[in-house]
Amino acid sequence: MQKWLSLLLFCLLSVATFAQKNEIKVMYSPVSLHRMDNWGRDLDGLSAKYTGAFMIEYNRYIKPRLKLGVNIVYDHEKVSGTKTDGYINPHPPYEWITTKIKQTNKEGWFFFSPQVGYEYIQKENFRMGSLLGLSMALPVSWATDTRG
């Protein structure tokens, strides 16, 4: 863990040397992309836990106001709980059968997006501009079911 913090600190300090051309951002968003997707959605009695989105972004200025870059995001979600389901037996005695399934789903997504940005206002402590990117999502998921 200490190696990662040292490496991150070194990278951030070395970026300050090239601040005119290169820009690196390390970000965290507590509002997960999965959470926004599941707002208002019924999860059938399951509970979801979200880690949030971890992001790293690199931009290189090709002109004083124009920059090209890439953004990489990792987002993770864990949904777990017990689902109760029921159906009618198609054979005699045609009774109602109830099943319980203990379910755990873990999903993670990597997002890779090249981007281009333009800054309209550049002041010493303030910048405002637009950014356009195209993202590709790579899902990583696994699930376990236990029927009881």
Side-chain angles (χ1 to χ4, degrees):
M1 179 71 172
Q2 207 170 21
K3 286 182 182 180
W4 283 104
L5 290 176
S6 300
L7 180 63
L8 179 63
L9 183 61
F10 174 74
C11 289
L12 291 176
L13 291 176
S14 65
V15 169
T17 309
F18 305 105
Q20 293 80 15
K21 290 283 184 185
N22 298 305
E23 178 180 83
I24 293 180
K25 297 178 187 175
V26 178
M27 301 169 278
Y28 170 75
S29 173
V31 179
S32 170
L33 300 171
H34 287 288
R35 176 172 284 186
M36 289 190 296
D37 185 41
N38 288 335
W39 277 340
R41 189 180 288 183
D42 183 19
L43 296 175
D44 294 329
L46 300 176
S47 63
K49 293 183 182 178
Y50 307 93
T51 60
F54 298 92
M55 298 166 264
I56 187 163
E57 182 176 303
Y58 171 77
N59 292 303
R60 179 161 177 87
Y61 285 87
I62 55 175
K63 291 192 174 184
R65 294 181 183 262
L66 185 66
K67 60 184 174 181
L68 294 175
V70 65
N71 184 301
I72 300 171
V73 179
Y74 177 72
D75 195 5
H76 181 78
E77 158 188 63
K78 179 181 178 182
V79 179
S80 62
T82 303
K83 291 174 84 171
T84 303
D85 196 11
Y87 62 94
I88 296 176
N89 188 357
H91 307 290
Y94 304 110
E95 60 190 6
W96 183 260
I97 297 175
T98 303
T99 60
K100 289 188 178 186
I101 302 170
K102 185 171 178 159
Q103 180 177 351
T104 302
N105 296 336
K106 295 179 184 178
E107 291 183 339
W109 282 335
F110 281 105
F111 296 90
F112 298 97
S113 34
Q115 55 194 22
V116 61
Y118 185 80
E119 294 178 351
Y120 305 108
I121 300 173
Q122 288 182 330
K123 301 289 183 187
E124 186 176 330
N125 295 323
F126 178 77
R127 291 180 181 205
M128 185 172 76
S130 296
L131 188 73
L132 177 67
L134 182 63
S135 187
M136 175 179 69
L138 300 173
V140 180
S141 64
W142 51 95
T144 58
D145 290 341
T146 306
R147 298 188 185 267

